[in-house]
Amino acid sequence: MRAASPVVIVDLSAVTFADCSILPPLCEAWSDCHARGGWIRVVHDNHTVGLVFRCTGMLGRFPAHANAQDAWEGRTSGATAYRTRTGAGIDGR
């Protein structure tokens, strides 16, 4: 019997401060989930968390989801979806 593919939703919406220390555990979880056919999605809708992902080039891997339901359904927040789709930078270029 094969184990179910892991799905993980990390809700960072209440986080008021974030730095690059959030990346190693998220990247490890991402690698583990993807290796086993699953996915990880991150709920983040504040400037602080988004800035960490943008400045480290991780926004493509961890696009913003407004809430857990959106994350479950794979629906990204508007501005993040635009940047992910177009490859635009922080300033929209």
Side-chain angles (χ1 to χ4, degrees):
M1 176 188 246
R2 185 173 181 250
S5 298
V7 294
V8 177
I9 296 174
V10 179
D11 189 345
L12 299 178
S13 60
V15 171
T16 58
F17 172 80
D19 62 14
C20 294
S21 66
I22 66 172
L23 294 177
L26 286 174
C27 288
E28 283 184 43
W30 185 91
S31 294
D32 183 54
C33 287
H34 279 261
R36 299 188 304 156
W39 51 259
I40 180 173
R41 295 183 181 145
V42 181
V43 175
H44 61 95
D45 58 0
N46 66 49
H47 176 71
T48 304
V49 175
L51 188 61
V52 170
F53 290 134
R54 281 192 304 274
C55 289
T56 59
M58 290 286 158
L59 193 57
R61 181 175 285 190
F62 301 113
H65 298 277
N67 55 52
Q69 186 64 40
D70 283 357
W72 179 256
E73 295 174 4
R75 201 171 29 244
T76 57
S77 298
T80 302
Y82 171 77
R83 279 194 288 281
T84 300
R85 215 174 37 252
T86 63
I90 293 172
D91 62 355
R93 287 187 256 153

